[in-house]
């Protein structure tokens, strides 16, 4: 039964979205090639900055995040806040267990590489607000629940990211006797990066939906405007990866074993977070579509924000930024594989009545 829904969901994606992993690999190769073929490209890219981030990277990040946040149904936020079986596990997984797990894995796998370790911790703090909607659709998760959890993560991230960064990078290592990670910027500087690279697209997405629906209605907004602006999230992601890999080319090619060491804790993180979240959803009585949404929103990370903060705080050629760049290259193939696991997981969930199965699990326009 599982191949049918998977094929149907994949068929609703554009050609570009279906081969996302391929395009990311192509963007990576293009960035590496440009960095080697064009002398002085890195200096040119870094010449003009926005809060410490190269202007091309800043534009790519903003373009990448805006369309996803414009898709969010902000008026449905109250629906999920009333569903305690979904909301409470989501908050626990995203803001307690997820950051703590990444912190532990970073120290276990990278005790001798503090820059990469710090980059991974930053990744763990940046909860997913972007491509998770694509994986959720492919896995026939609950689209509305995913949209609302994305909105909730977006708001909470603006409020909590800086405080959690200070705690996990400075306070907790000191308490555990691990040694404090040097952080040469104030909490306000991290907050400024979050507000620019998350706050601006969040406000723009909210206003786009509000004004668009007011002017032409929700049906037009969902059927006409969203499909037009949606692909720009991927274009922004690919453009950002090209620029970052152009800046990071020497480090990647010179230290392939370091890249592999960054990838290993990420693989463990995705496996533990996704399977644990799916099991928790089943234990608290969620339907398979909602448990799937819980699992993908908990396992995914907002690499866009992590990259922005790492670049702004430590520099575009830093090890912290490299850890963020490696993230989506690992996340994409892993979560694509977990889509098929989610579809096969139906046998472990109570079968809903036929009348409710399609509306709950179906992807809505």
């Amino acid at each position: 039964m599982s191949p049918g829904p998977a094929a149907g969901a994949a068929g609703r994606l554009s050609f570009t979205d279906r081969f996302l992993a391929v395009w990311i690999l192509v963007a990576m190769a293009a960035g590496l090639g440009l960095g080697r073929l064009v002398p002085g490209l890195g200096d040119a890219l870094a010449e003009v900055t926005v809060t410490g981030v190269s202007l091309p990277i800043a534009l790519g990040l903003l373009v990448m995040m805006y369309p996803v946040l414009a898709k969010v149904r902000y008026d449905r936020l109250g629906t999920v806040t009333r569903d305690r079986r979904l909301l409470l596990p989501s908050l626990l997984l995203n803001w307690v267990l997820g950051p703590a797990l990444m912190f532990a894995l970073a120290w276990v796998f990278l005790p001798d590489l503090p820059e990469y370790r710090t980059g991974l911790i930053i990744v763990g703090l940046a909860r997913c607000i972007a491509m998770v909607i694509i994986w959720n659709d492919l896995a026939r998760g609950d689209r509305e629940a995913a949209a609302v959890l994305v909105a909730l993560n977006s708001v909470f991230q603006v409020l909590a990211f800086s405080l959690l960064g200070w705690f996990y990078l400075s306070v907790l290592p000191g308490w555990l006797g691990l040694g404090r990670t040097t952080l040469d910027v104030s909490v306000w500087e991290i907050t400024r990066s979050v507000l620019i690279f998350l706050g601006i697209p969040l406000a723009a997405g909210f206003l786009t939906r509000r004004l668009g629906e007011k002017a032409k209605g929700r049906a037009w907004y969902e059927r006409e405007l969203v499909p037009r602006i949606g692909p720009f999230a991927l274009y922004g992601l690919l453009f950002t990866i090209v620029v970052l890999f152009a800046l990071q080319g020497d480090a990647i090619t010179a230290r392939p074993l370091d890249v592999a060491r960054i990838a290993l804790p990420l693989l463990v993180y995705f496996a533990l977070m996704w399977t644990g979240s799916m099991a928790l959803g089943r234990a608290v009585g969620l339907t398979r579509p909602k448990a799937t949404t819980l699992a993908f929103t908990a396992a995914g990370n907002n690499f866009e924000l992590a990259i922005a903060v790492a670049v702004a705080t430590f520099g575009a050629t830093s090890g912290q930024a490299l850890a963020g760049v490696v993230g989506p290259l690992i996340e994409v193939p892993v979560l694509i594989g977990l889509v098929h696991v989610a579809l096969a997981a139906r046998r472990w969930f109570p079968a809903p009545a036929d009348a409710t199965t399609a509306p709950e699990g179906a992807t809505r326009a």
Side-chain angles (χ1 to χ4, degrees), residues 167-187:
F167 177 75
Y168 278 104
L169 293 176
S170 297
V171 176
L172 186 57
W175 288 353
L176 298 177
L178 298 173
R180 296 173 181 268
T181 300
T182 301
L183 194 62
D184 296 326
V185 294
S186 66
V187 172

mmCIF file with all atom_site columns, all heavy atoms in Angstrom, residues 167-187:
data_model
loop_
_atom_site.group_PDB
_atom_site.id
_atom_site.type_symbol
_atom_site.label_atom_id
_atom_site.label_alt_id
_atom_site.label_comp_id
_atom_site.label_asym_id
_atom_site.label_entity_id
_atom_site.label_seq_id
_atom_site.pdbx_PDB_ins_code
_atom_site.Cartn_x
_atom_site.Cartn_y
_atom_site.Cartn_z
_atom_site.occupancy
_atom_site.B_iso_or_equiv
_atom_site.pdbx_formal_charge
_atom_site.auth_seq_id
_atom_site.auth_comp_id
_atom_site.auth_asym_id
_atom_site.auth_atom_id
_atom_site.pdbx_PDB_model_num
ATOM 1   N N   . PHE A 1 167 ? 23.187 29.379 26.862 1.00 0.00 ? 167 PHE A N   1
ATOM 2   C CA  . PHE A 1 167 ? 23.184 28.282 27.836 1.00 0.00 ? 167 PHE A CA  1
ATOM 3   C C   . PHE A 1 167 ? 24.045 27.114 27.373 1.00 0.00 ? 167 PHE A C   1
ATOM 4   O O   . PHE A 1 167 ? 24.892 26.606 28.116 1.00 0.00 ? 167 PHE A O   1
ATOM 5   C CB  . PHE A 1 167 ? 21.746 27.814 28.087 1.00 0.00 ? 167 PHE A CB  1
ATOM 6   C CG  . PHE A 1 167 ? 21.649 26.638 29.011 1.00 0.00 ? 167 PHE A CG  1
ATOM 7   C CD1 . PHE A 1 167 ? 21.842 26.801 30.373 1.00 0.00 ? 167 PHE A CD1 1
ATOM 8   C CD2 . PHE A 1 167 ? 21.364 25.369 28.521 1.00 0.00 ? 167 PHE A CD2 1
ATOM 9   C CE1 . PHE A 1 167 ? 21.753 25.704 31.248 1.00 0.00 ? 167 PHE A CE1 1
ATOM 10  C CE2 . PHE A 1 167 ? 21.278 24.282 29.377 1.00 0.00 ? 167 PHE A CE2 1
ATOM 11  C CZ  . PHE A 1 167 ? 21.473 24.454 30.730 1.00 0.00 ? 167 PHE A CZ  1
ATOM 12  N N   . TYR A 1 168 ? 23.841 26.673 26.115 1.00 0.00 ? 168 TYR A N   1
ATOM 13  C CA  . TYR A 1 168 ? 24.528 25.470 25.637 1.00 0.00 ? 168 TYR A CA  1
ATOM 14  C C   . TYR A 1 168 ? 25.971 25.727 25.229 1.00 0.00 ? 168 TYR A C   1
ATOM 15  O O   . TYR A 1 168 ? 26.780 24.794 25.211 1.00 0.00 ? 168 TYR A O   1
ATOM 16  C CB  . TYR A 1 168 ? 23.760 24.854 24.470 1.00 0.00 ? 168 TYR A CB  1
ATOM 17  C CG  . TYR A 1 168 ? 22.600 24.002 24.911 1.00 0.00 ? 168 TYR A CG  1
ATOM 18  C CD1 . TYR A 1 168 ? 21.300 24.465 24.815 1.00 0.00 ? 168 TYR A CD1 1
ATOM 19  C CD2 . TYR A 1 168 ? 22.804 22.736 25.440 1.00 0.00 ? 168 TYR A CD2 1
ATOM 20  C CE1 . TYR A 1 168 ? 20.232 23.696 25.233 1.00 0.00 ? 168 TYR A CE1 1
ATOM 21  C CE2 . TYR A 1 168 ? 21.752 21.959 25.868 1.00 0.00 ? 168 TYR A CE2 1
ATOM 22  C CZ  . TYR A 1 168 ? 20.466 22.442 25.765 1.00 0.00 ? 168 TYR A CZ  1
ATOM 23  O OH  . TYR A 1 168 ? 19.416 21.676 26.192 1.00 0.00 ? 168 TYR A OH  1
ATOM 24  N N   . LEU A 1 169 ? 26.319 26.953 24.896 1.00 0.00 ? 169 LEU A N   1
ATOM 25  C CA  . LEU A 1 169 ? 27.687 27.239 24.488 1.00 0.00 ? 169 LEU A CA  1
ATOM 26  C C   . LEU A 1 169 ? 28.566 27.725 25.638 1.00 0.00 ? 169 LEU A C   1
ATOM 27  O O   . LEU A 1 169 ? 29.785 27.548 25.590 1.00 0.00 ? 169 LEU A O   1
ATOM 28  C CB  . LEU A 1 169 ? 27.694 28.283 23.369 1.00 0.00 ? 169 LEU A CB  1
ATOM 29  C CG  . LEU A 1 169 ? 27.104 27.832 22.042 1.00 0.00 ? 169 LEU A CG  1
ATOM 30  C CD1 . LEU A 1 169 ? 27.089 28.987 21.049 1.00 0.00 ? 169 LEU A CD1 1
ATOM 31  C CD2 . LEU A 1 169 ? 27.879 26.649 21.472 1.00 0.00 ? 169 LEU A CD2 1
ATOM 32  N N   . SER A 1 170 ? 27.969 28.306 26.662 1.00 0.00 ? 170 SER A N   1
ATOM 33  C CA  . SER A 1 170 ? 28.771 28.884 27.737 1.00 0.00 ? 170 SER A CA  1
ATOM 34  C C   . SER A 1 170 ? 28.464 28.298 29.109 1.00 0.00 ? 170 SER A C   1
ATOM 35  O O   . SER A 1 170 ? 29.372 27.907 29.840 1.00 0.00 ? 170 SER A O   1
ATOM 36  C CB  . SER A 1 170 ? 28.563 30.405 27.774 1.00 0.00 ? 170 SER A CB  1
ATOM 37  O OG  . SER A 1 170 ? 29.016 30.998 26.583 1.00 0.00 ? 170 SER A OG  1
ATOM 38  N N   . VAL A 1 171 ? 27.195 28.215 29.462 1.00 0.00 ? 171 VAL A N   1
ATOM 39  C CA  . VAL A 1 171 ? 26.831 27.853 30.831 1.00 0.00 ? 171 VAL A CA  1
ATOM 40  C C   . VAL A 1 171 ? 26.955 26.352 31.086 1.00 0.00 ? 171 VAL A C   1
ATOM 41  O O   . VAL A 1 171 ? 27.671 25.910 32.004 1.00 0.00 ? 171 VAL A O   1
ATOM 42  C CB  . VAL A 1 171 ? 25.402 28.331 31.158 1.00 0.00 ? 171 VAL A CB  1
ATOM 43  C CG1 . VAL A 1 171 ? 24.990 27.864 32.553 1.00 0.00 ? 171 VAL A CG1 1
ATOM 44  C CG2 . VAL A 1 171 ? 25.315 29.845 31.048 1.00 0.00 ? 171 VAL A CG2 1
ATOM 45  N N   . LEU A 1 172 ? 26.273 25.531 30.275 1.00 0.00 ? 172 LEU A N   1
ATOM 46  C CA  . LEU A 1 172 ? 26.243 24.091 30.521 1.00 0.00 ? 172 LEU A CA  1
ATOM 47  C C   . LEU A 1 172 ? 27.624 23.440 30.451 1.00 0.00 ? 172 LEU A C   1
ATOM 48  O O   . LEU A 1 172 ? 27.948 22.607 31.317 1.00 0.00 ? 172 LEU A O   1
ATOM 49  C CB  . LEU A 1 172 ? 25.274 23.419 29.555 1.00 0.00 ? 172 LEU A CB  1
ATOM 50  C CG  . LEU A 1 172 ? 25.031 21.919 29.778 1.00 0.00 ? 172 LEU A CG  1
ATOM 51  C CD1 . LEU A 1 172 ? 24.532 21.652 31.193 1.00 0.00 ? 172 LEU A CD1 1
ATOM 52  C CD2 . LEU A 1 172 ? 24.045 21.368 28.746 1.00 0.00 ? 172 LEU A CD2 1
ATOM 53  N N   . PRO A 1 173 ? 28.464 23.767 29.457 1.00 0.00 ? 173 PRO A N   1
ATOM 54  C CA  . PRO A 1 173 ? 29.808 23.168 29.461 1.00 0.00 ? 173 PRO A CA  1
ATOM 55  C C   . PRO A 1 173 ? 30.589 23.486 30.736 1.00 0.00 ? 173 PRO A C   1
ATOM 56  O O   . PRO A 1 173 ? 31.351 22.648 31.240 1.00 0.00 ? 173 PRO A O   1
ATOM 57  C CB  . PRO A 1 173 ? 30.472 23.797 28.229 1.00 0.00 ? 173 PRO A CB  1
ATOM 58  C CG  . PRO A 1 173 ? 29.350 24.143 27.328 1.00 0.00 ? 173 PRO A CG  1
ATOM 59  C CD  . PRO A 1 173 ? 28.243 24.576 28.250 1.00 0.00 ? 173 PRO A CD  1
ATOM 60  N N   . GLY A 1 174 ? 30.415 24.700 31.260 1.00 0.00 ? 174 GLY A N   1
ATOM 61  C CA  . GLY A 1 174 ? 31.087 25.047 32.508 1.00 0.00 ? 174 GLY A CA  1
ATOM 62  C C   . GLY A 1 174 ? 30.582 24.225 33.672 1.00 0.00 ? 174 GLY A C   1
ATOM 63  O O   . GLY A 1 174 ? 31.362 23.748 34.501 1.00 0.00 ? 174 GLY A O   1
ATOM 64  N N   . TRP A 1 175 ? 29.253 24.032 33.745 1.00 0.00 ? 175 TRP A N   1
ATOM 65  C CA  . TRP A 1 175 ? 28.682 23.215 34.817 1.00 0.00 ? 175 TRP A CA  1
ATOM 66  C C   . TRP A 1 175 ? 29.195 21.781 34.777 1.00 0.00 ? 175 TRP A C   1
ATOM 67  O O   . TRP A 1 175 ? 29.415 21.161 35.810 1.00 0.00 ? 175 TRP A O   1
ATOM 68  C CB  . TRP A 1 175 ? 27.162 23.207 34.701 1.00 0.00 ? 175 TRP A CB  1
ATOM 69  C CG  . TRP A 1 175 ? 26.519 24.501 35.091 1.00 0.00 ? 175 TRP A CG  1
ATOM 70  C CD1 . TRP A 1 175 ? 27.118 25.589 35.644 1.00 0.00 ? 175 TRP A CD1 1
ATOM 71  C CD2 . TRP A 1 175 ? 25.125 24.822 34.966 1.00 0.00 ? 175 TRP A CD2 1
ATOM 72  N NE1 . TRP A 1 175 ? 26.195 26.588 35.864 1.00 0.00 ? 175 TRP A NE1 1
ATOM 73  C CE2 . TRP A 1 175 ? 24.959 26.138 35.459 1.00 0.00 ? 175 TRP A CE2 1
ATOM 74  C CE3 . TRP A 1 175 ? 24.010 24.143 34.492 1.00 0.00 ? 175 TRP A CE3 1
ATOM 75  C CZ2 . TRP A 1 175 ? 23.732 26.786 35.478 1.00 0.00 ? 175 TRP A CZ2 1
ATOM 76  C CZ3 . TRP A 1 175 ? 22.785 24.769 34.507 1.00 0.00 ? 175 TRP A CZ3 1
ATOM 77  C CH2 . TRP A 1 175 ? 22.646 26.085 35.000 1.00 0.00 ? 175 TRP A CH2 1
ATOM 78  N N   . LEU A 1 176 ? 29.375 21.240 33.568 1.00 0.00 ? 176 LEU A N   1
ATOM 79  C CA  . LEU A 1 176 ? 29.786 19.845 33.397 1.00 0.00 ? 176 LEU A CA  1
ATOM 80  C C   . LEU A 1 176 ? 31.295 19.673 33.423 1.00 0.00 ? 176 LEU A C   1
ATOM 81  O O   . LEU A 1 176 ? 31.797 18.558 33.280 1.00 0.00 ? 176 LEU A O   1
ATOM 82  C CB  . LEU A 1 176 ? 29.232 19.299 32.076 1.00 0.00 ? 176 LEU A CB  1
ATOM 83  C CG  . LEU A 1 176 ? 27.703 19.269 31.951 1.00 0.00 ? 176 LEU A CG  1
ATOM 84  C CD1 . LEU A 1 176 ? 27.296 18.769 30.579 1.00 0.00 ? 176 LEU A CD1 1
ATOM 85  C CD2 . LEU A 1 176 ? 27.084 18.392 33.036 1.00 0.00 ? 176 LEU A CD2 1
ATOM 86  N N   . GLY A 1 177 ? 32.026 20.769 33.584 1.00 0.00 ? 177 GLY A N   1
ATOM 87  C CA  . GLY A 1 177 ? 33.472 20.690 33.624 1.00 0.00 ? 177 GLY A CA  1
ATOM 88  C C   . GLY A 1 177 ? 34.107 20.399 32.280 1.00 0.00 ? 177 GLY A C   1
ATOM 89  O O   . GLY A 1 177 ? 35.223 19.879 32.212 1.00 0.00 ? 177 GLY A O   1
ATOM 90  N N   . LEU A 1 178 ? 33.411 20.740 31.203 1.00 0.00 ? 178 LEU A N   1
ATOM 91  C CA  . LEU A 1 178 ? 33.921 20.475 29.859 1.00 0.00 ? 178 LEU A CA  1
ATOM 92  C C   . LEU A 1 178 ? 34.727 21.641 29.307 1.00 0.00 ? 178 LEU A C   1
ATOM 93  O O   . LEU A 1 178 ? 35.397 21.507 28.287 1.00 0.00 ? 178 LEU A O   1
ATOM 94  C CB  . LEU A 1 178 ? 32.751 20.184 28.904 1.00 0.00 ? 178 LEU A CB  1
ATOM 95  C CG  . LEU A 1 178 ? 31.903 18.957 29.253 1.00 0.00 ? 178 LEU A CG  1
ATOM 96  C CD1 . LEU A 1 178 ? 30.680 18.886 28.345 1.00 0.00 ? 178 LEU A CD1 1
ATOM 97  C CD2 . LEU A 1 178 ? 32.737 17.687 29.128 1.00 0.00 ? 178 LEU A CD2 1
ATOM 98  N N   . GLY A 1 179 ? 34.632 22.761 29.966 1.00 0.00 ? 179 GLY A N   1
ATOM 99  C CA  . GLY A 1 179 ? 35.285 23.964 29.448 1.00 0.00 ? 179 GLY A CA  1
ATOM 100 C C   . GLY A 1 179 ? 34.318 24.765 28.613 1.00 0.00 ? 179 GLY A C   1
ATOM 101 O O   . GLY A 1 179 ? 33.570 24.226 27.799 1.00 0.00 ? 179 GLY A O   1
ATOM 102 N N   . ARG A 1 180 ? 34.317 26.032 28.822 1.00 0.00 ? 180 ARG A N   1
ATOM 103 C CA  . ARG A 1 180 ? 33.372 26.909 28.123 1.00 0.00 ? 180 ARG A CA  1
ATOM 104 C C   . ARG A 1 180 ? 33.805 27.152 26.687 1.00 0.00 ? 180 ARG A C   1
ATOM 105 O O   . ARG A 1 180 ? 34.990 27.319 26.412 1.00 0.00 ? 180 ARG A O   1
ATOM 106 C CB  . ARG A 1 180 ? 33.257 28.250 28.847 1.00 0.00 ? 180 ARG A CB  1
ATOM 107 C CG  . ARG A 1 180 ? 32.684 28.148 30.254 1.00 0.00 ? 180 ARG A CG  1
ATOM 108 C CD  . ARG A 1 180 ? 32.752 29.484 30.966 1.00 0.00 ? 180 ARG A CD  1
ATOM 109 N NE  . ARG A 1 180 ? 32.238 29.395 32.321 1.00 0.00 ? 180 ARG A NE  1
ATOM 110 C CZ  . ARG A 1 180 ? 30.969 29.634 32.644 1.00 0.00 ? 180 ARG A CZ  1
ATOM 111 N NH1 . ARG A 1 180 ? 30.110 29.986 31.709 1.00 0.00 ? 180 ARG A NH1 1
ATOM 112 N NH2 . ARG A 1 180 ? 30.579 29.532 33.887 1.00 0.00 ? 180 ARG A NH2 1
ATOM 113 N N   . THR A 1 181 ? 32.839 27.178 25.784 1.00 0.00 ? 181 THR A N   1
ATOM 114 C CA  . THR A 1 181 ? 33.120 27.549 24.408 1.00 0.00 ? 181 THR A CA  1
ATOM 115 C C   . THR A 1 181 ? 33.256 29.064 24.328 1.00 0.00 ? 181 THR A C   1
ATOM 116 O O   . THR A 1 181 ? 32.427 29.796 24.844 1.00 0.00 ? 181 THR A O   1
ATOM 117 C CB  . THR A 1 181 ? 31.967 27.101 23.478 1.00 0.00 ? 181 THR A CB  1
ATOM 118 O OG1 . THR A 1 181 ? 31.843 25.688 23.568 1.00 0.00 ? 181 THR A OG1 1
ATOM 119 C CG2 . THR A 1 181 ? 32.235 27.508 22.041 1.00 0.00 ? 181 THR A CG2 1
ATOM 120 N N   . THR A 1 182 ? 34.335 29.506 23.695 1.00 0.00 ? 182 THR A N   1
ATOM 121 C CA  . THR A 1 182 ? 34.547 30.940 23.568 1.00 0.00 ? 182 THR A CA  1
ATOM 122 C C   . THR A 1 182 ? 33.489 31.553 22.660 1.00 0.00 ? 182 THR A C   1
ATOM 123 O O   . THR A 1 182 ? 33.279 31.096 21.540 1.00 0.00 ? 182 THR A O   1
ATOM 124 C CB  . THR A 1 182 ? 35.938 31.229 22.994 1.00 0.00 ? 182 THR A CB  1
ATOM 125 O OG1 . THR A 1 182 ? 36.912 30.667 23.869 1.00 0.00 ? 182 THR A OG1 1
ATOM 126 C CG2 . THR A 1 182 ? 36.178 32.721 22.877 1.00 0.00 ? 182 THR A CG2 1
ATOM 127 N N   . LEU A 1 183 ? 32.820 32.566 23.149 1.00 0.00 ? 183 LEU A N   1
ATOM 128 C CA  . LEU A 1 183 ? 31.796 33.252 22.372 1.00 0.00 ? 183 LEU A CA  1
ATOM 129 C C   . LEU A 1 183 ? 32.115 34.742 22.422 1.00 0.00 ? 183 LEU A C   1
ATOM 130 O O   . LEU A 1 183 ? 31.901 35.401 23.421 1.00 0.00 ? 183 LEU A O   1
ATOM 131 C CB  . LEU A 1 183 ? 30.405 32.980 22.965 1.00 0.00 ? 183 LEU A CB  1
ATOM 132 C CG  . LEU A 1 183 ? 29.204 33.337 22.099 1.00 0.00 ? 183 LEU A CG  1
ATOM 133 C CD1 . LEU A 1 183 ? 29.199 32.526 20.815 1.00 0.00 ? 183 LEU A CD1 1
ATOM 134 C CD2 . LEU A 1 183 ? 27.909 33.093 22.857 1.00 0.00 ? 183 LEU A CD2 1
ATOM 135 N N   . ASP A 1 184 ? 32.653 35.234 21.315 1.00 0.00 ? 184 ASP A N   1
ATOM 136 C CA  . ASP A 1 184 ? 33.163 36.602 21.282 1.00 0.00 ? 184 ASP A CA  1
ATOM 137 C C   . ASP A 1 184 ? 32.113 37.640 20.919 1.00 0.00 ? 184 ASP A C   1
ATOM 138 O O   . ASP A 1 184 ? 32.446 38.758 20.550 1.00 0.00 ? 184 ASP A O   1
ATOM 139 C CB  . ASP A 1 184 ? 34.330 36.700 20.290 1.00 0.00 ? 184 ASP A CB  1
ATOM 140 C CG  . ASP A 1 184 ? 35.506 35.845 20.723 1.00 0.00 ? 184 ASP A CG  1
ATOM 141 O OD1 . ASP A 1 184 ? 35.717 35.727 21.946 1.00 0.00 ? 184 ASP A OD1 1
ATOM 142 O OD2 . ASP A 1 184 ? 36.183 35.293 19.857 1.00 0.00 ? 184 ASP A OD2 1
ATOM 143 N N   . VAL A 1 185 ? 30.855 37.256 20.994 1.00 0.00 ? 185 VAL A N   1
ATOM 144 C CA  . VAL A 1 185 ? 29.781 38.194 20.687 1.00 0.00 ? 185 VAL A CA  1
ATOM 145 C C   . VAL A 1 185 ? 28.773 38.174 21.825 1.00 0.00 ? 185 VAL A C   1
ATOM 146 O O   . VAL A 1 185 ? 28.673 37.207 22.568 1.00 0.00 ? 185 VAL A O   1
ATOM 147 C CB  . VAL A 1 185 ? 29.069 37.830 19.356 1.00 0.00 ? 185 VAL A CB  1
ATOM 148 C CG1 . VAL A 1 185 ? 30.005 37.997 18.187 1.00 0.00 ? 185 VAL A CG1 1
ATOM 149 C CG2 . VAL A 1 185 ? 28.526 36.417 19.410 1.00 0.00 ? 185 VAL A CG2 1
ATOM 150 N N   . SER A 1 186 ? 28.032 39.246 21.952 1.00 0.00 ? 186 SER A N   1
ATOM 151 C CA  . SER A 1 186 ? 27.028 39.333 23.004 1.00 0.00 ? 186 SER A CA  1
ATOM 152 C C   . SER A 1 186 ? 25.757 38.609 22.579 1.00 0.00 ? 186 SER A C   1
ATOM 153 O O   . SER A 1 186 ? 25.567 38.269 21.414 1.00 0.00 ? 186 SER A O   1
ATOM 154 C CB  . SER A 1 186 ? 26.697 40.800 23.282 1.00 0.00 ? 186 SER A CB  1
ATOM 155 O OG  . SER A 1 186 ? 26.056 41.383 22.152 1.00 0.00 ? 186 SER A OG  1
ATOM 156 N N   . VAL A 1 187 ? 24.895 38.366 23.580 1.00 0.00 ? 187 VAL A N   1
ATOM 157 C CA  . VAL A 1 187 ? 23.596 37.762 23.286 1.00 0.00 ? 187 VAL A CA  1
ATOM 158 C C   . VAL A 1 187 ? 22.822 38.640 22.308 1.00 0.00 ? 187 VAL A C   1
ATOM 159 O O   . VAL A 1 187 ? 22.116 38.143 21.420 1.00 0.00 ? 187 VAL A O   1
ATOM 160 C CB  . VAL A 1 187 ? 22.800 37.566 24.589 1.00 0.00 ? 187 VAL A CB  1
ATOM 161 C CG1 . VAL A 1 187 ? 21.375 37.121 24.289 1.00 0.00 ? 187 VAL A CG1 1
ATOM 162 C CG2 . VAL A 1 187 ? 23.501 36.543 25.478 1.00 0.00 ? 187 VAL A CG2 1
#
